[in-house]
């Protein structure tokens, strides 16, 4: 199981500072959608250059032009690029083919997919690397999470790795870990804490099963 730090509400210098604090405890750095909107793929490039030993995920949430956008993010240094599960299969296939050419990977974000079970099966057959359940900020504000959805994809996904994102905190991580996803994505649960390093270290312990949930 791996831990991904999601950076959403920072600029490039702030992103570098946060990563510096927690780098020993994380596997992947996510350049979040708001950062890409504000800073462009330069943010991916600079974080990869500063921390070449960490994998970098570009959260582009691709909805169209799959191959082209994957090519641009890969050229900027991304190791993993996100595509939305709600889009059409042609976009996902284009993204997967281009990622294979570039030696990068595709994570499909299932945010707002209505028939999760059916769509997860379809997407799993398209050769993607990760399928991720995700409760976005706006539904988190209404008290929702994706813990049940994680159980669904764990049951039906046979090829891709499974992942979960959306509002995960230190006190809810044990419940997530019990379901054994391959990847846990945490943003505010680390970045919103006073002692980010200590929280990331405790999360790492839980995730790597060094202590029991
Ligand atoms: O993908 C995200 C969101 O849509 C904003 O871009 C976040 O990175 C993801 O939800 C993880 O962040 P937290 O919910 O703060 O853990």
């Amino acid at each position: 199981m791996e831990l991904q730090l999601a950076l959403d509400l920072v600029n490039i210098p702030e992103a570098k500072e946060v990563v510096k604090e927690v780098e020993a405890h994380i596997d992947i750095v996510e350049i979040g959608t708001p950062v890409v909107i504000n800073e462009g793929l330069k943010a991916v490039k600079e974080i990869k250059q500063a921390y070449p030993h960490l994998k970098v995920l570009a959260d582009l949430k691709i909805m169209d032009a799959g191959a082209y956008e994957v090519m641009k993010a890969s050229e900027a240094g991304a190791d993993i690029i996100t595509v939305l599960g709600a889009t059409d299969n042609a976009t996902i296939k284009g993204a997967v083919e281009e990622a294979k050419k570039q030696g990068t990977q595709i994570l499909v974000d299932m945010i707002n997919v209505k028939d999760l079970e059916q769509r997860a099966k379809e997407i799993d057959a398209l050769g993607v690397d990760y399928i991720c359940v995700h409760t976005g900020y706006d539904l988190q504000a209404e008290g929702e999470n994706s813990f049940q959805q994680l159980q669904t994809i764990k049951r039906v996904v046979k090829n891709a790795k499974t992942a979960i994102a959306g509002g995960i905190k230190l006190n809810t991580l044990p419940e997530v870990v019990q379901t054994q996803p391959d990847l846990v994505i945490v943003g505010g649960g680390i970045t919103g804490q006073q002692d980010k390093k200590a929280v990331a270290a405790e999360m790492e312990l839980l995730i790597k099963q060094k202590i029991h949930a």
Side-chain angles (χ1 to χ4, degrees):
M1 201 181 302
E2 291 189 301
L3 178 58
Q4 176 172 313
L5 168 72
L7 297 170
D8 286 295
L9 306 175
V10 289
N11 58 28
I12 294 174
E14 289 163 349
K16 286 183 183 166
E17 277 305 303
V18 178
V19 178
K20 190 173 160 193
E21 211 176 323
V22 305
E23 64 172 315
H25 306 293
I26 60 171
D27 303 289
I28 303 172
V29 181
E30 170 185 333
I31 303 303
T33 317
V35 178
V36 177
I37 288 169
N38 291 330
E39 306 268 12
L41 287 172
K42 185 170 175 273
V44 171
K45 193 172 186 177
E46 288 203 18
I47 293 292
K48 189 65 188 177
Q49 278 172 353
Y51 300 97
H53 59 289
L54 292 174
K55 283 183 266 185
V56 175
L57 176 140
D59 190 16
L60 301 192
K61 296 190 173 79
I62 294 172
M63 195 66 177
D64 189 19
Y68 179 78
E69 294 185 4
V70 166
M71 178 180 74
K72 296 318 263 182
S74 304
E75 286 172 357
D79 299 285
I80 307 170
I81 301 113
T82 65
V83 177
L84 291 181
T87 193
D88 52 88
N89 288 357
T91 297
I92 297 175
K93 282 183 196 165
V96 168
E97 272 173 31
E98 184 61 27
K100 282 194 174 28
K101 275 190 220 159
Q102 299 280 346
T104 53
Q105 292 190 309
I106 297 299
L107 180 147
V108 173
D109 184 335
M110 304 299 276
I111 190 168
N112 206 29
V113 165
K114 298 303 173 203
D115 188 343
L116 179 65
E117 184 167 333
Q118 175 61 24
R119 190 69 183 128
K121 284 181 191 166
E122 290 165 7
I123 289 170
D124 194 31
L126 299 178
V128 308
D129 299 285
Y130 295 85
I131 295 180
C132 180
V133 289
H134 180 198
T135 300
Y137 287 174
D138 299 337
L139 284 187
Q140 285 178 40
E142 295 182 11
E144 294 200 19
N145 65 49
S146 292
F147 301 168
Q148 290 284 333
Q149 294 183 328
L150 177 61
Q151 293 182 11
T152 303
I153 61 165
K154 279 292 291 186
R155 186 164 41 79
V156 301
V157 170
K158 304 295 178 209
N159 304 306
K161 291 182 175 176
T162 56
I164 178 166
I168 299 166
K169 305 281 186 285
L170 189 54
N171 67 335
T172 53
L173 185 58
E175 187 182 344
V176 171
V177 167
Q178 268 179 4
T179 310
Q180 293 284 300
D182 297 293
L183 174 63
V184 178
I185 300 169
V186 180
I190 294 174
T191 59
Q193 307 306 311
Q194 192 68 29
D195 191 343
K196 298 173 188 46
K197 186 175 170 61
V199 173
E202 280 194 60
M203 287 188 164
E204 184 195 19
L205 284 176
L206 282 166
I207 280 175
K208 306 294 180 194
Q209 300 289 323
K210 290 177 188 160
I211 56 173
H212 292 290

